Amino acid sequence: KVIKCKAAVAWEPNKPLVIEEIEVAPPQANEVRIKIVATSVCHTDLYHLLESMHPDGFPTVLGHEAAGIVESVGPGVTEYQPGDKVIPLFIAQCRECRFCKDQRTNQCEQAWRATDRPGVMAPPETRLTCKGKTLLQFVGTSTFSEYTVVNAMAVAKIDPAAPLDKVFLIGCGVSTGYGAAVNTAKVEPGSTCAVFGMGGVGLAAVMGCKNAGAKRIIAVDINPDKFEKAKVFGATDFVNPKDHDKPISQVLAEMTSGGVDFSLECTGKVEVMRSALESCIPGWGVSVVVGWTDLHDISTRPGQLIAGRKWTGSAFGGFKGRDAVPGLVKAYLDKKVKLDEFITHKLTLEQVNDAIEMMKSGKCIRTVLNVSPE
């Protein structure tokens, strides 16, 4: 049956979201309908709404960092049953394509359908409608809704003991930052790291550096209020570029006798990506681009790379979602990764615009939106 429920609809770019009654169609073949319990605003939602503002990307239901419970499954779905606790994935894992079969990457040919239309950031088909109009499903998930329908390849089944109002963070921010450090950068014990941007993703990257054994972790942000939080996750130093009249790369080089071993850029700003690369030590420094943008080119002088620095990128922390997310949930339950410390505010879905404003102004790390009771 069609479900009528509440959702936050982005009718047009750069406007507040509107709480509407929408229709969520039954899951078709190889699809899963999920009751969303908890979700959060991530910077990529803001990017689509306020920065990219591509007219073909609206109307849409945003949201991609979430956890919920399977309500029903479509024909052909055997891996999931109603009642299962799950985390929807914005990068699918079909397990069949050449990328899924290769341990070097978490890219998936099937996943590209959700994001490969530039600016649209949604697959062509959708199960959501409102007032006779189809609503795009942002990166194939659309979690700012009481119910959503997701391809079974983009769902991770998790431990039934997991608290959904905490583990929803594994749906994007924490996995993205943590994995960028441990999987992509491959941070080494005893190394020196710099993380640019102390939002949720950056703090998770700090946690990844610490868990990988880095001895010095420099947190870089223009908001000094973020340092206390960064310390909780393992940062040893804090640098505010605004406190210096020379380039941040020079400041870090002077602090570290030549540059850091690993740098992670978690802001989505191309000028910061350049600074992060140029903060690395020549010879073996590795810089990972984590923050998302598709509006500008990145640039540096060739000599920066000829000197032996490596510049690479990371999506969802390099984790193959269906395989890795259950393990990340277990790591939280075993107290090996922190999640509670990221959550600074708790609101309801109806207050989503407040959550957006708090993220824009840097007043929160993560605001959990409690959508439905668990």
Side-chain angles (χ1 to χ4, degrees):
K1 288 194 178 74
V2 171
I3 287 178
K4 290 189 173 183
C5 71
K6 274 189 309 214
V9 178
W11 287 107
E12 50 189 321
N14 207 16
K15 291 274 174 27
L17 308 189
V18 183
I19 301 296
E20 303 275 17
E21 183 180 78
I22 69 162
E23 298 81 42
V24 182
Q28 305 298 305
N30 303 311
E31 291 179 345
V32 178
R33 188 158 61 182
I34 300 167
K35 178 177 87 163
I36 298 295
V37 170
T39 186
S40 186
V41 180
C42 169
H43 186 264
T44 310
D45 302 304
L46 265 61
Y47 167 84
H48 187 75
L49 182 67
L50 306 172
E51 293 176 41
S52 146
M53 301 197 291
H54 197 293
D56 295 344
F58 298 84
T60 186
V61 175
L62 296 169
H64 62 283
E65 182 177 273
I69 297 168
V70 174
E71 177 271 336
S72 58
V73 300
V77 175
T78 54
E79 203 175 326
Y80 312 99
Q81 284 83 37
D84 285 348
K85 286 189 179 181
V86 291
I87 290 177
L89 305 168
F90 64 91
I91 298 183
Q93 184 192 354
C94 73
R95 294 183 172 145
E96 300 296 324
C97 73
R98 60 191 166 136
F99 295 97
C100 281
K101 287 179 172 170
D102 193 311
Q103 287 312 302
R104 290 174 296 182
T105 184
N106 65 343
Q107 294 293 308
C108 169
E109 285 178 353
Q110 295 299 322
W112 294 342
R113 292 169 57 254
T115 51
D116 69 352
R117 296 188 296 163
V120 180
M121 294 186 80
E125 69 279 354
T126 172
R127 302 288 169 248
L128 311 181
T129 51
C130 180
K131 299 178 179 172
K133 292 192 171 73
T134 59
L135 302 174
L136 291 168
Q137 285 194 236
F138 184 63
V139 296
T141 54
S142 286
T143 62
F144 294 169
S145 175
E146 291 177 319
Y147 289 88
T148 190
V149 176
V150 178
N151 192 297
M153 294 183 290
V155 180
K157 182 171 157 178
I158 61 170
D159 191 319
L164 298 181
D165 62 348
K166 303 288 194 301
V167 299
F168 73 89
L169 289 161
I170 291 168
C172 178
V174 170
S175 304
T176 297
Y178 188 78
V182 300
N183 297 331
T184 312
K186 296 186 165 59
V187 169
E188 293 165 5
S191 61
T192 297
C193 303
V195 180
F196 291 72
M198 289 295 109
V201 173
L203 291 168
V206 168
M207 178 168 69
C209 293
K210 180 169 173 24
N211 284 13
K215 75 166 189 300
R216 195 170 180 198
I217 302 164
I218 304 166
V220 183
D221 202 293
I222 55 173
N223 179 351
D225 298 344
K226 295 286 179 82
F227 187 39
E228 285 310 310
K229 206 55 155 166
K231 275 203 254 191
V232 170
F233 290 99
T236 57
D237 303 70
F238 189 76
V239 179
N240 184 342
K242 289 184 167 174
D243 294 343
H244 301 272
D245 52 10
K246 52 188 161 193
I248 184 69
S249 54
Q250 208 178 318
V251 175
L252 292 177
E254 288 169 10
M255 286 172 67
T256 57
S257 35
V260 299
D261 301 306
F262 301 97
S263 71
L264 297 114
E265 182 287 325
C266 305
T267 70
K269 293 186 165 42
V270 293
E271 60 278 11
V272 182
M273 295 170 190
R274 179 174 190 162
S275 296
L277 173 76
E278 295 176 2
S279 299
C280 283
I281 194 158
W284 60 77
V286 175
S287 187
V288 183
V289 174
V290 188
W292 172 262
T293 184
D294 198 27
L295 299 176
H296 308 285
D297 294 342
I298 48 173
S299 62
T300 192
R301 294 285 170 96
Q304 295 285 338
L305 299 174
I306 291 167
R309 295 177 183 87
K310 291 188 175 66
W311 210 358
T312 187
S314 183
F316 195 56
F319 288 113
K320 291 180 184 283
R322 285 162 73 193
D323 292 346
V325 162
L328 287 165
V329 169
K330 185 176 186 318
Y332 166 69
L333 294 173
D334 294 343
K335 300 195 165 35
K336 294 198 174 89
V337 299
K338 294 178 161 74
L339 294 180
D340 304 45
E341 292 81 356
F342 289 92
I343 299 167
T344 52
H345 298 80
K346 295 178 183 182
L347 297 174
T348 63
L349 181 62
E350 287 81 356
Q351 296 168 297
V352 64
N353 290 310
D354 298 337
I356 288 172
E357 287 306 316
M358 282 195 293
M359 178 162 267
K360 269 164 66 178
S361 61
K363 292 208 167 55
C364 69
I365 302 298
R366 277 292 190 269
T367 300
V368 58
L369 300 174
N370 293 298
V371 182
S372 311
E374 199 170 311

Short mmCIF file of all heavy atoms in Angstrom, two decimals, residues 33-72:
data_model
loop_
_atom_site.label_atom_id
_atom_site.label_comp_id
_atom_site.label_asym_id
_atom_site.label_seq_id
_atom_site.Cartn_x
_atom_site.Cartn_y
_atom_site.Cartn_z
N ARG A 33 11.38 -0.61 1.74
CA ARG A 33 10.77 0.59 2.32
C ARG A 33 11.13 0.64 3.80
O ARG A 33 10.96 -0.34 4.52
CB ARG A 33 9.25 0.61 2.11
CG ARG A 33 8.62 1.94 2.53
CD ARG A 33 7.26 2.19 1.86
NE ARG A 33 6.26 1.19 2.20
CZ ARG A 33 5.00 1.18 1.71
NH1 ARG A 33 4.62 2.13 0.86
NH2 ARG A 33 4.15 0.24 2.06
N ILE A 34 11.66 1.81 4.20
CA ILE A 34 12.24 1.95 5.54
C ILE A 34 11.49 3.03 6.31
O ILE A 34 11.23 4.11 5.78
CB ILE A 34 13.73 2.34 5.43
CG1 ILE A 34 14.52 1.25 4.67
CG2 ILE A 34 14.35 2.59 6.81
CD1 ILE A 34 15.92 1.70 4.25
N LYS A 35 11.18 2.73 7.58
CA LYS A 35 10.70 3.75 8.50
C LYS A 35 11.94 4.42 9.11
O LYS A 35 12.74 3.76 9.78
CB LYS A 35 9.85 3.13 9.62
CG LYS A 35 9.36 4.18 10.64
CD LYS A 35 8.46 3.58 11.71
CE LYS A 35 9.30 3.05 12.86
NZ LYS A 35 8.50 2.84 14.09
N ILE A 36 12.11 5.71 8.84
CA ILE A 36 13.27 6.43 9.36
C ILE A 36 13.04 6.78 10.83
O ILE A 36 12.02 7.38 11.18
CB ILE A 36 13.55 7.71 8.53
CG1 ILE A 36 13.86 7.34 7.06
CG2 ILE A 36 14.68 8.53 9.16
CD1 ILE A 36 15.13 6.56 6.85
N VAL A 37 13.98 6.39 11.68
CA VAL A 37 13.89 6.69 13.12
C VAL A 37 14.68 7.94 13.46
O VAL A 37 14.20 8.81 14.19
CB VAL A 37 14.37 5.48 13.95
CG1 VAL A 37 14.50 5.85 15.43
CG2 VAL A 37 13.41 4.31 13.78
N ALA A 38 15.90 8.04 12.93
CA ALA A 38 16.76 9.19 13.23
C ALA A 38 17.54 9.58 11.99
O ALA A 38 17.98 8.71 11.22
CB ALA A 38 17.71 8.85 14.37
N THR A 39 17.70 10.89 11.79
CA THR A 39 18.48 11.39 10.66
C THR A 39 19.14 12.69 11.10
O THR A 39 18.92 13.17 12.21
CB THR A 39 17.58 11.59 9.41
OG1 THR A 39 18.41 11.94 8.29
CG2 THR A 39 16.54 12.67 9.62
N SER A 40 20.01 13.22 10.22
CA SER A 40 20.72 14.44 10.58
C SER A 40 21.02 15.23 9.31
O SER A 40 21.05 14.68 8.22
CB SER A 40 22.02 14.09 11.30
OG SER A 40 22.65 15.27 11.77
N VAL A 41 21.26 16.52 9.50
CA VAL A 41 21.71 17.37 8.39
C VAL A 41 23.22 17.21 8.27
O VAL A 41 23.95 17.31 9.25
CB VAL A 41 21.37 18.85 8.67
CG1 VAL A 41 21.84 19.72 7.51
CG2 VAL A 41 19.87 19.03 8.89
N CYS A 42 23.67 16.93 7.04
CA CYS A 42 25.09 16.83 6.74
C CYS A 42 25.42 17.97 5.78
O CYS A 42 24.53 18.48 5.10
CB CYS A 42 25.36 15.46 6.11
SG CYS A 42 26.99 15.28 5.39
N HIS A 43 26.68 18.36 5.71
CA HIS A 43 27.01 19.52 4.87
C HIS A 43 26.62 19.30 3.41
O HIS A 43 26.31 20.25 2.69
CB HIS A 43 28.50 19.86 4.97
CG HIS A 43 28.82 21.13 4.24
ND1 HIS A 43 29.30 21.14 2.96
CD2 HIS A 43 28.66 22.43 4.59
CE1 HIS A 43 29.44 22.40 2.55
NE2 HIS A 43 29.06 23.20 3.54
N THR A 44 26.61 18.05 2.93
CA THR A 44 26.26 17.81 1.52
C THR A 44 24.80 18.17 1.24
O THR A 44 24.47 18.60 0.13
CB THR A 44 26.58 16.35 1.13
OG1 THR A 44 27.92 16.06 1.55
CG2 THR A 44 26.48 16.14 -0.36
N ASP A 45 23.93 18.02 2.23
CA ASP A 45 22.54 18.49 2.06
C ASP A 45 22.54 20.00 1.86
O ASP A 45 21.83 20.53 0.98
CB ASP A 45 21.69 18.14 3.30
CG ASP A 45 21.65 16.66 3.60
OD1 ASP A 45 21.27 15.88 2.71
OD2 ASP A 45 22.02 16.27 4.72
N LEU A 46 23.32 20.71 2.68
CA LEU A 46 23.41 22.17 2.56
C LEU A 46 24.01 22.57 1.22
O LEU A 46 23.57 23.54 0.60
CB LEU A 46 24.28 22.74 3.69
CG LEU A 46 23.55 23.24 4.93
CD1 LEU A 46 22.76 22.13 5.59
CD2 LEU A 46 24.51 23.88 5.91
N TYR A 47 25.03 21.81 0.80
CA TYR A 47 25.68 22.10 -0.48
C TYR A 47 24.65 22.09 -1.61
O TYR A 47 24.59 23.00 -2.43
CB TYR A 47 26.78 21.06 -0.75
CG TYR A 47 27.30 21.07 -2.16
CD1 TYR A 47 28.30 21.97 -2.54
CD2 TYR A 47 26.79 20.20 -3.12
CE1 TYR A 47 28.77 22.00 -3.84
CE2 TYR A 47 27.25 20.23 -4.42
CZ TYR A 47 28.25 21.12 -4.78
OH TYR A 47 28.69 21.16 -6.08
N HIS A 48 23.80 21.06 -1.64
CA HIS A 48 22.80 20.94 -2.71
C HIS A 48 21.77 22.06 -2.63
O HIS A 48 21.39 22.66 -3.65
CB HIS A 48 22.10 19.58 -2.61
CG HIS A 48 21.19 19.29 -3.76
ND1 HIS A 48 21.65 18.92 -5.00
CD2 HIS A 48 19.84 19.32 -3.85
CE1 HIS A 48 20.62 18.74 -5.82
NE2 HIS A 48 19.50 18.97 -5.14
N LEU A 49 21.35 22.38 -1.41
CA LEU A 49 20.29 23.37 -1.20
C LEU A 49 20.78 24.80 -1.39
O LEU A 49 20.06 25.64 -1.96
CB LEU A 49 19.73 23.20 0.22
CG LEU A 49 18.57 24.10 0.64
CD1 LEU A 49 17.30 23.76 -0.15
CD2 LEU A 49 18.30 23.97 2.13
N LEU A 50 21.98 25.10 -0.91
CA LEU A 50 22.42 26.50 -0.76
C LEU A 50 23.61 26.89 -1.63
O LEU A 50 23.86 28.07 -1.82
CB LEU A 50 22.78 26.77 0.70
CG LEU A 50 21.71 26.44 1.74
CD1 LEU A 50 22.28 26.57 3.14
CD2 LEU A 50 20.48 27.31 1.56
N GLU A 51 24.38 25.90 -2.14
CA GLU A 51 25.58 26.25 -2.90
C GLU A 51 25.44 25.87 -4.37
O GLU A 51 25.58 26.70 -5.25
CB GLU A 51 26.82 25.57 -2.29
CG GLU A 51 27.18 26.11 -0.90
CD GLU A 51 28.34 25.34 -0.28
OE1 GLU A 51 29.30 25.01 -1.00
OE2 GLU A 51 28.27 25.06 0.94
N SER A 52 25.18 24.59 -4.63
CA SER A 52 25.06 24.13 -6.02
C SER A 52 23.79 24.70 -6.64
O SER A 52 23.80 25.26 -7.74
CB SER A 52 25.06 22.59 -6.04
OG SER A 52 24.24 22.10 -7.05
N MET A 53 22.66 24.57 -5.93
CA MET A 53 21.36 25.17 -6.33
C MET A 53 20.99 24.86 -7.79
O MET A 53 20.45 25.71 -8.49
CB MET A 53 21.37 26.69 -6.08
CG MET A 53 21.63 27.06 -4.64
SD MET A 53 21.18 28.74 -4.22
CE MET A 53 22.37 29.69 -5.12
N HIS A 54 21.30 23.65 -8.24
CA HIS A 54 21.01 23.27 -9.63
C HIS A 54 19.50 23.14 -9.81
O HIS A 54 18.85 22.36 -9.11
CB HIS A 54 21.70 21.95 -9.95
CG HIS A 54 21.81 21.65 -11.41
ND1 HIS A 54 20.72 21.40 -12.19
CD2 HIS A 54 22.89 21.60 -12.22
CE1 HIS A 54 21.12 21.18 -13.43
NE2 HIS A 54 22.43 21.30 -13.48
N PRO A 55 18.90 23.89 -10.76
CA PRO A 55 17.43 23.86 -10.88
C PRO A 55 16.85 22.47 -11.16
O PRO A 55 15.73 22.18 -10.75
CB PRO A 55 17.14 24.83 -12.04
CG PRO A 55 18.45 25.02 -12.74
CD PRO A 55 19.53 24.80 -11.74
N ASP A 56 17.64 21.60 -11.83
CA ASP A 56 17.14 20.24 -12.13
C ASP A 56 17.15 19.34 -10.90
O ASP A 56 16.66 18.22 -10.95
CB ASP A 56 17.99 19.59 -13.23
CG ASP A 56 17.86 20.32 -14.56
OD1 ASP A 56 16.91 21.12 -14.70
OD2 ASP A 56 18.72 20.11 -15.44
N GLY A 57 17.73 19.83 -9.79
CA GLY A 57 17.82 19.01 -8.58
C GLY A 57 16.67 19.21 -7.61
O GLY A 57 16.73 18.75 -6.47
N PHE A 58 15.59 19.86 -8.07
CA PHE A 58 14.42 20.16 -7.22
C PHE A 58 13.14 19.92 -8.00
O PHE A 58 13.17 19.98 -9.23
CB PHE A 58 14.49 21.62 -6.75
CG PHE A 58 15.71 21.92 -5.91
CD1 PHE A 58 16.92 22.24 -6.51
CD2 PHE A 58 15.65 21.84 -4.53
CE1 PHE A 58 18.06 22.48 -5.75
CE2 PHE A 58 16.78 22.09 -3.76
CZ PHE A 58 17.99 22.41 -4.37
N PRO A 59 11.99 19.67 -7.31
CA PRO A 59 11.86 19.47 -5.86
C PRO A 59 12.46 18.14 -5.43
O PRO A 59 12.43 17.16 -6.19
CB PRO A 59 10.34 19.50 -5.64
CG PRO A 59 9.75 19.08 -6.93
CD PRO A 59 10.70 19.57 -8.00
N THR A 60 12.97 18.12 -4.21
CA THR A 60 13.64 16.92 -3.71
C THR A 60 13.37 16.78 -2.22
O THR A 60 12.99 17.74 -1.56
CB THR A 60 15.16 17.01 -3.99
OG1 THR A 60 15.79 15.78 -3.63
CG2 THR A 60 15.83 18.14 -3.22
N VAL A 61 13.58 15.57 -1.73
CA VAL A 61 13.63 15.33 -0.28
C VAL A 61 15.09 15.04 0.05
O VAL A 61 15.65 14.04 -0.41
CB VAL A 61 12.71 14.18 0.15
CG1 VAL A 61 12.88 13.90 1.65
CG2 VAL A 61 11.25 14.52 -0.15
N LEU A 62 15.70 15.95 0.82
CA LEU A 62 17.11 15.81 1.19
C LEU A 62 17.26 14.78 2.31
O LEU A 62 16.30 14.16 2.73
CB LEU A 62 17.67 17.17 1.61
CG LEU A 62 17.71 18.24 0.52
CD1 LEU A 62 18.03 19.60 1.12
CD2 LEU A 62 18.73 17.88 -0.56
N GLY A 63 18.48 14.65 2.80
CA GLY A 63 18.75 13.72 3.90
C GLY A 63 19.39 12.43 3.40
O GLY A 63 18.88 11.81 2.47
N HIS A 64 20.55 12.08 3.99
CA HIS A 64 21.22 10.84 3.58
C HIS A 64 21.98 10.19 4.73
O HIS A 64 22.59 9.15 4.54
CB HIS A 64 22.17 11.12 2.40
CG HIS A 64 23.28 12.07 2.73
ND1 HIS A 64 23.07 13.42 2.81
CD2 HIS A 64 24.57 11.87 3.03
CE1 HIS A 64 24.21 14.01 3.15
NE2 HIS A 64 25.14 13.09 3.30
N GLU A 65 21.95 10.81 5.91
CA GLU A 65 22.63 10.25 7.09
C GLU A 65 21.53 9.84 8.05
O GLU A 65 20.90 10.70 8.68
CB GLU A 65 23.53 11.35 7.68
CG GLU A 65 24.36 10.91 8.88
CD GLU A 65 25.27 12.03 9.37
OE1 GLU A 65 26.39 12.14 8.84
OE2 GLU A 65 24.86 12.80 10.25
N ALA A 66 21.27 8.53 8.14
CA ALA A 66 20.06 8.10 8.86
C ALA A 66 20.14 6.64 9.28
O ALA A 66 21.02 5.88 8.83
CB ALA A 66 18.82 8.31 7.98
N ALA A 67 19.18 6.26 10.12
CA ALA A 67 18.99 4.85 10.48
C ALA A 67 17.50 4.61 10.67
O ALA A 67 16.76 5.53 11.03
CB ALA A 67 19.75 4.51 11.76
N GLY A 68 17.07 3.39 10.40
CA GLY A 68 15.65 3.10 10.51
C GLY A 68 15.36 1.61 10.60
O GLY A 68 16.26 0.80 10.87
N ILE A 69 14.10 1.29 10.34
CA ILE A 69 13.61 -0.09 10.47
C ILE A 69 12.88 -0.45 9.19
O ILE A 69 12.07 0.34 8.68
CB ILE A 69 12.65 -0.19 11.69
CG1 ILE A 69 13.42 0.11 12.99
CG2 ILE A 69 12.00 -1.57 11.76
CD1 ILE A 69 12.55 0.33 14.21
N VAL A 70 13.16 -1.63 8.66
CA VAL A 70 12.50 -2.08 7.43
C VAL A 70 11.00 -2.22 7.69
O VAL A 70 10.58 -2.90 8.63
CB VAL A 70 13.09 -3.41 6.94
CG1 VAL A 70 12.30 -3.95 5.74
CG2 VAL A 70 14.57 -3.25 6.58
N GLU A 71 10.20 -1.55 6.84
CA GLU A 71 8.74 -1.65 6.95
C GLU A 71 8.21 -2.74 6.02
O GLU A 71 7.34 -3.52 6.40
CB GLU A 71 8.12 -0.28 6.63
CG GLU A 71 6.59 -0.25 6.63
CD GLU A 71 5.96 -0.59 5.28
OE1 GLU A 71 6.62 -0.43 4.24
OE2 GLU A 71 4.79 -1.04 5.28
N SER A 72 8.72 -2.78 4.80
CA SER A 72 8.31 -3.82 3.84
C SER A 72 9.39 -3.95 2.78
O SER A 72 10.24 -3.06 2.63
CB SER A 72 6.96 -3.46 3.18
OG SER A 72 7.05 -2.22 2.53
#
